[in-house]
Amino acid sequence: MAESKMVHSSLVTYASVISLLTLCPPFVILLWYTMVHADGSVALTWDYFRRNGLLSAFVNIWPKPTAIAWKIIFCYAAFEAALQLLLPGKRVEGPVSPKGNRPVYKANGVAAYAVTLLTYVGIWWFGVFNPSIVYDHLGEIFSALIFGSLIFCVFLNIKGHVAPSSTDSGSSGNLIIDFYWGMELYPRIGKDFDLKVFTNCRFGMMSWAVLSITYCIKQYEANGRVADSMLVNTILTLVYVTKFFWWEDGYWNTMDIAHDRAGFYICWGCLVWVPSVYTCPGMYLVNHPVNLGTQLALYILGAGILCVLINYDCDRQRQEFRRKNGKCLVWGSPPKKIVASYTTADGETKTNLLLTSGWWGLSRHFHYVPEILAAFFWTVPALFNHVLPYFYVIFLTILLFDRATRDDDKCRSKYGKYWKLYCEKVPYKIIPGIY
Ligand code: NDP
């Protein structure tokens, strides 16, 4: 546990843990309030707080988690859990864990995604449920999610202590760090219900697509039409989330699943931060139907789709190279590689291949470049009147630059001299020639 987390000095770690635990929940409410009630203007929100005082302003704007909010969350969560359990999917093995375990999953993400979106649009189309209701109660929903997810993280913590699902679990000896980073790498209910697949993929990522559609429908219901800016934002986020579910079993090999334990950081993040912060450009556009004109809209759409495709191809290239044990072509040539050996926590020696050509020869985390640019392109339809719609792009840039450092540190301690060799062959961390 400590091995994976103490990448930064312990003082920086504790300070950032405490800050994130205390500041993220109120930030979500501030963001929602500013987008929905203060025209997206930080200055207006600031003025409101200045006139009312910090505490009473917060009490005034913080919505109660109402019964309707709980009902919406419960129905959505139950629906997604049922799809995760019941839809058929092929058996997929995850990567070998630090304790030498190999988690097994059912890959039914695309089916769950298709069923969710068809059902959501279907119930609107046939008049069963109007998604505008979700937008109208968004603050209450975020408020309920904030508290509900904190309770869920307490449950994860207790479960990690009393009934861990695998040997990839354990305490750091510090209650706050355990709560923040989590106790278990692969918590499950029963044999089949993987909690991180639920929180990260089926609740979090799915909510991104569902809310994008909600914002679109809300604008349509309010104005009788959908502005091209909203269309570009919605299409790009849907392309991105579709790519995510298409590649979901690849995601199960990434740091989020194979390295980060189930605690506040990853689970609260996916249950609350993704539906609120990740969807903020669309949330802003509901009340700001900017008209870009067909040509500009198409340029932005094209650039965004290209970035999503390049990001997908980076992940695909690395995973195909590993799956085929290096016996594939990378950009039309045999791949350049390093055979890197490492020792598991149980003392067993294993080897992995590191790709040093293709996207992975440009820089060690080139895939983050198109990821950040794609986010820029689905935000830029909001134009430049306010900075807050760009919060996700700014946050993502900081997150991914930090993640590159964390991943480099993880790989350096895992592969030692082989990682050093990779760094010599591919010296740039993210941006080729610059950083
Ligand atoms: P990955 O986990 O997919 O990639 C890093 C891992 O790949 C390393 O830990 C190492 O794992 C292995 N690896 C590193 N270099 C090489 C190499 N040269 N050849 C082969 N294997 C290598 O990264 P992420 O989880 O950060 O990203 C996955 C996707 O998720 C990306 O598309 C990213 O943009 C996206 N993402 C999006 C976020 C968002 O909030 N929108 C946040 C984070 C990621 P091993 O131990 O197996 O060697």
Side-chain angles (χ1 to χ4, degrees):
M1 173 71 190
E3 145 269 325
S4 57
K5 300 309 167 198
M6 295 302 179
V7 163
H8 306 292
S9 82
S10 52
L11 188 68
V12 173
T13 302
Y14 285 121
S16 41
V17 164
I18 302 286
S19 316
L20 290 171
L21 283 171
T22 50
L23 297 180
C24 287
F27 180 80
V28 166
I29 297 299
L30 269 181
L31 180 75
W32 158 80
Y33 174 81
T34 309
M35 290 305 190
V36 174
H37 295 294
D39 201 27
S41 160
V42 178
L44 275 184
T45 301
W46 171 256
D47 191 48
Y48 181 79
F49 271 72
R50 203 179 42 77
R51 280 187 284 109
N52 291 276
L54 185 71
L55 203 65
S56 68
F58 251 121
V59 172
N60 289 345
I61 68 160
W62 199 302
K64 304 251 174 330
T66 49
I68 184 154
W70 287 116
K71 257 191 239 166
I72 289 171
I73 294 168
F74 178 78
C75 289
Y76 169 67
F79 187 67
E80 290 309 322
L83 295 184
Q84 184 177 334
L85 274 173
L86 302 176
L87 285 175
K90 72 172 196 296
R91 183 183 180 279
V92 171
E93 291 187 345
V96 179
S97 73
K99 288 283 167 70
N101 300 315
R102 197 183 263 280
V104 174
Y105 301 98
K106 185 161 70 167
N108 57 9
V110 173
Y113 180 63
V115 171
T116 301
L117 296 198
L118 287 174
T119 307
Y120 196 55
V121 174
I123 57 177
W124 171 58
W125 193 255
F126 292 108
V128 180
F129 176 80
N130 190 340
S132 292
I133 295 172
V134 175
Y135 178 82
D136 296 339
H137 294 272
L138 204 56
E140 296 150 47
I141 292 173
F142 288 155
S143 178
L145 276 178
I146 286 171
F147 294 117
S149 305
L150 281 172
I151 294 168
F152 180 73
C153 292
V154 173
F155 156 78
L156 285 176
N157 204 263
I158 296 171
K159 180 185 172 313
H161 275 289
V162 300
S165 301
S166 80
T167 48
D168 284 290
S169 61
S171 169
S172 67
N174 180 313
L175 213 67
I176 295 174
I177 299 285
D178 282 352
F179 179 78
Y180 182 80
W181 286 117
M183 299 275 296
E184 291 189 76
L185 191 57
Y186 297 111
R188 292 197 169 190
I189 293 180
K191 201 166 75 57
D192 294 328
F193 191 70
D194 189 285
L195 285 168
K196 265 165 74 185
V197 169
F198 176 74
T199 55
N200 298 21
C201 308
R202 307 309 171 80
F203 194 103
M205 290 302 290
M206 196 74 81
S207 73
W208 194 353
V210 169
L211 284 174
S212 292
I213 291 174
T214 303
Y215 300 149
C216 219
I217 290 176
K218 175 68 193 178
Q219 196 184 69
Y220 177 76
E221 298 261 327
N223 304 343
R225 62 185 291 270
V226 181
D228 53 14
S229 50
M230 180 62 107
L231 276 179
V232 171
N233 172 270
T234 311
I235 294 171
L236 280 181
T237 49
L238 288 181
V239 168
Y240 181 87
V241 182
T242 306
K243 176 223 78 162
F244 175 84
F245 281 105
W246 183 258
W247 162 85
E248 191 192 39
D249 53 353
Y251 174 71
W252 297 334
N253 293 297
T254 69
M255 281 176 79
D256 283 5
I257 299 289
H259 184 252
D260 294 335
R261 292 183 177 207
F264 178 91
Y265 171 73
I266 203 77
C267 292
W268 193 92
C270 290
L271 294 171
V272 188
W273 200 251
V274 171
S276 54
V277 170
Y278 285 37
T279 70
C280 73
M283 205 190 299
Y284 171 83
L285 284 170
V286 171
N287 295 325
H288 301 84
V290 177
N291 283 310
L292 302 167
T294 311
Q295 203 178 22
L296 181 58
L298 285 177
Y299 280 141
I300 299 174
L301 190 65
I305 291 177
L306 185 68
C307 290
V308 177
L309 290 179
I310 293 175
N311 170 261
Y312 169 79
D313 199 54
C314 296
D315 291 328
R316 182 206 58 77
Q317 193 174 69
R318 173 178 84 77
Q319 285 169 355
E320 187 181 279
F321 161 79
R322 278 266 175 98
R323 200 175 51 250
K324 296 192 170 162
N325 208 15
K327 292 184 181 62
C328 58
L329 292 182
V330 168
W331 289 355
S333 311
K336 294 188 185 149
K337 58 180 185 259
I338 295 170
V339 183
S341 66
Y342 66 99
T343 313
T344 66
D346 298 341
E348 214 184 319
T349 301
K350 294 189 180 274
T351 53
N352 261 345
L353 294 183
L354 296 174
L355 177 62
T356 63
S357 57
W359 300 113
W360 296 81
L362 297 182
S363 68
R364 300 195 296 281
H365 304 90
F366 180 77
H367 54 331
Y368 293 158
V369 175
E371 174 87 35
I372 293 166
L373 286 176
F376 173 77
F377 286 121
W378 68 62
T379 308
V380 82
L383 301 182
F384 300 103
N385 290 337
H386 295 292
V387 73
L388 208 56
Y390 290 84
F391 180 77
Y392 172 66
V393 187
I394 298 164
F395 157 79
L396 184 71
T397 307
I398 297 168
L399 176 89
L400 293 182
F401 274 67
D402 177 66
R403 194 179 175 92
T405 305
R406 287 207 301 136
D407 191 51
D408 259 9
D409 286 343
K410 183 209 94 171
C411 291
R412 192 172 303 111
S413 69
K414 179 172 177 180
Y415 297 118
K417 63 179 182 199
Y418 301 104
W419 191 256
K420 202 166 156 250
L421 185 63
Y422 181 35
C423 294
E424 277 160 22
K425 284 184 190 277
V426 183
Y428 293 103
K429 211 188 256 184
I430 299 178
I431 309 169
I434 297 177
Y435 176 77

